[in-house]
Amino acid sequence: MTQKAIQDYYPGPYAQCYGCGRLNEHGLQIKSYWDGDESVCTFTPWPYHTAIPGYVYGGLIASLIDCHSTGTAAAAASRAEGRDLETDPPPRFLTASLHVDYLRPTPIEGPLELRSQVKEIKGRKVVVTTSLSVHGVECARGEVVAVQVPNALWEQLVGGA
Amino acid sequence: MTQKAIQDYYPGPYAQCYGCGRLNEHGLQIKSYWDGDESVCTFTPWPYHTAIPGYVYGGLIASLIDCHSTGTAAAAASRAEGRDLETDPPPRFLTASLHVDYLRPTPIEGPLELRSQVKEIKGRKVVVTTSLSVHGVECARGEVVAVQVPNALWEQLVGGA
């Protein structure tokens, strides 16, 4: 795709995450996009992201669901407020809780497609549900409760960088 | 420690996991040990395991809880059956569900200490709860439902390797 991903709008200090930061050269650098009311992320596991041979380890699936969900939360909060990402970067969300149900072994060839829906937006909290599938077969489901970083905490954490 | 870790007893085909496989040269290679009725794993994040600067990304925490819990489940099942790991390798468990509550940002300097308890053993299912702390401050809690790989599925997955 040539459109910018949600994560491409993160300001620099927010863009260091191993899962989703475009500035973390060692990381997964996942990309999330709107597709109507759903958000979508496609990721091909690296060859050594193995659980048992031929299948993806659960921690990668958890990581993808986590970062795709916080990105979705950020974009959903922006959308709900009518903000234009080009001129007004999205707020950053952190994960309060993560739940993953592993339905079946996930083939490592991928690609893994994550499709998410915003279940709830309430104040600074956004709940995101995700279905992860490979070639149309659902392999995992996730739910993330994401909370917007309080301004004061953000200042405390990164010194206003 | 000089004692062997639970993961060191996994047979070769089980030891490829990115999170806990001693044979995955790119992976985290976590090590879990019994400490009485608790299992313990200590892990120092890599410098680029960042979420926001200075703190660990949530996917690593989920990965550690996941793999440490399945290792704990394997060891607990062996212990419950009175098996000697030296002569009778532990059964392999996979994750059916994973839940993580992120209580506060986790300092990346670590070390992260995970201490787990076996909440339930029932048939081929083991439920493991985990507390993750840094220098005694609890940063996350987890619960994993682990299920023993059925023999038939194992044959199907790895061709009896």
Side-chain angles (χ1 to χ4, degrees), chain A residues 46-61 102 108, chain B residues 7 10-31 43 46 62-71 92-95 154 158:
Chain A
W46 302 347
Y48 48 83
H49 282 157
T50 317
I52 50 180
Y55 296 89
V56 179
Y57 84 106
L60 178 70
I61 290 170
Y102 297 91
I108 198 164
Chain B
Q7 292 84 5
Y10 288 171
Y14 298 97
Q16 307 286 345
C17 177
Y18 182 84
C20 59
R22 69 182 181 282
L23 302 180
N24 190 324
E25 62 181 316
H26 301 284
L28 306 176
Q29 298 195 356
I30 73 161
K31 303 290 184 187
F43 186 85
W46 302 346
S63 299
L64 297 174
I65 289 174
D66 182 11
C67 280
H68 176 58
S69 296
T70 52
R92 186 69 160 97
F93 280 72
L94 299 178
T95 308
W154 176 247
V158 299

Side-chain angles (χ1 to χ4, degrees), chain A residues 62 95-100 143, chain B residues 58 61-63 65-66 98-103 139-144:
Chain A
T95 308
S97 74
L98 164 71
H99 185 90
V100 181
E143 180 165 310
Chain B
I61 290 170
S63 299
I65 289 174
D66 182 11
L98 164 70
H99 186 89
V100 182
D101 290 316
Y102 298 91
L103 307 178
C139 298
R141 285 184 204 147
E143 180 164 310
V144 162

Side-chain angles (χ1 to χ4, degrees), chain B residues 110-124:
Chain B
L112 280 51
E113 183 182 76
L114 295 90
R115 298 193 76 90
S116 297
Q117 298 184 319
V118 177
K119 184 178 175 183
E120 181 185 349
I121 300 183
K122 190 173 182 180
R124 300 175 75 91

Side-chain angles (χ1 to χ4, degrees), chain A residues 5-83:
Chain A
I6 294 167
Q7 292 85 3
D8 292 333
Y9 291 101
Y10 288 171
Y14 297 97
Q16 307 287 343
C17 177
Y18 182 84
C20 59
R22 70 182 180 282
L23 301 181
N24 190 324
E25 63 181 318
H26 301 283
L28 306 175
Q29 298 196 356
I30 72 161
K31 303 290 185 188
S32 303
Y33 303 89
W34 282 121
D35 180 17
D37 285 337
E38 292 188 328
S39 64
V40 181
C41 167
T42 302
F43 186 85
T44 299
W46 302 347
Y48 48 83
H49 282 157
T50 317
I52 50 180
Y55 296 89
V56 179
Y57 84 106
L60 178 70
I61 290 170
S63 300
L64 296 175
I65 289 174
D66 182 12
C67 279
H68 176 57
S69 296
T70 53
T72 300
S78 287
R79 179 182 272 191
E81 295 173 5
R83 293 161 65 165

Side-chain angles (χ1 to χ4, degrees), chain A residues 83-132:
Chain A
R83 293 161 65 165
D84 179 356
L85 293 184
E86 290 292 347
T87 56
D88 191 5
R92 185 70 160 97
F93 279 71
L94 299 178
T95 308
S97 74
L98 164 71
H99 185 90
V100 181
D101 290 316
Y102 297 91
L103 306 178
R104 58 177 51 79
T106 302
I108 198 164
E109 302 82 26
L112 280 51
E113 183 182 77
L114 295 90
R115 298 192 75 90
S116 297
Q117 297 184 318
V118 177
K119 183 178 175 183
E120 181 186 350
I121 300 183
K122 189 174 183 181
R124 299 175 75 91
K125 184 180 85 169
V126 179
V127 182
V128 178
T129 59
T130 298
S131 172
L132 182 152

